[in-house]
Amino acid sequence: MVFEYILKENGIDPETDLEINQNIDFGSTAAAFAEGQGEFTVEFEPGATTLESEGEGYVVASLGEDSGYVPYTAFSAKKSYIDENPDIIQGFTNALQKGMDYVQSHTPGEIAAIIEPQFPEADLETITTIVTRYYDQDTWKSNLIFEQSSFDLLQDILESAGELEERVPYDDLVTTQFAAIAAQ
């Protein structure tokens, strides 16, 4: 959806101006591309860097850079849970912010070394390349505040894809109080 949204924002009609093959299992797209299916592929990491390191392709653009801050990861809880467990919500948010603070204050190499055990399928050089790319693209915000502009962008993308029948008011779904405290 993000890819198609970016295409539309740049005057390209995904329906008529190109052919997008969406019948390949998401986990198999890099292999299909390497085997000659398609001229371009959209990959999450480490797929993109692996294709590049194996000489099977080049990273030519970043959907994250071209789209703006799309909230790919958001944490949800029922209002009743939040109301009954504010200390748990704050502690969880503080821990996430601590990770964001670490990313803001350390080099890609330092970050890669810390997260390497979480990615046993990739070597440290690959992880460092990925982290450096994200770092250079300003992928990580400095705080966890889910801003209305990102919420609106997400709804724009969903609407553009025909997946959103009715827009939802930001204040009805988003609370930033815990993220704001954690950011202090």
Side-chain angles (χ1 to χ4, degrees), residues 100-119:
M100 300 304 289
D101 294 344
Y102 185 90
V103 167
Q104 295 298 317
S105 63
H106 289 79
T107 67
E110 292 169 325
I111 297 165
I114 290 293
I115 67 172
E116 181 184 19
Q118 301 301 311
F119 300 95

Side-chain angles (χ1 to χ4, degrees), residues 75 89-102 144 182:
F75 297 94
I89 298 294
Q90 191 63 63
F92 179 74
T93 307
N94 291 349
L96 292 171
Q97 182 63 54
K98 187 176 179 182
M100 300 304 289
D101 294 344
Y102 185 90
L144 301 169

Side-chain angles (χ1 to χ4, degrees), residues 37-105:
Q37 291 190 30
E39 296 178 46
F40 296 89
T41 183
V42 176
E43 297 296 329
F44 281 105
E45 293 293 0
T49 298
T50 300
L51 283 170
E52 200 167 56
S53 67
E54 293 174 352
E56 298 290 342
Y58 301 95
V59 174
V60 297
S62 162
L63 298 184
E65 272 187 306
D66 293 338
S67 66
Y69 281 114
V70 176
Y72 278 101
T73 303
F75 297 94
S76 302
K78 291 182 177 182
K79 184 171 181 352
S80 59
Y81 184 86
I82 294 170
D83 291 344
E84 294 168 15
N85 301 283
D87 292 343
I88 292 172
I89 298 294
Q90 191 63 63
F92 179 74
T93 307
N94 291 349
L96 292 171
Q97 182 63 54
K98 187 176 179 182
M100 300 304 289
D101 294 344
Y102 185 90
V103 167
Q104 295 298 317
S105 63

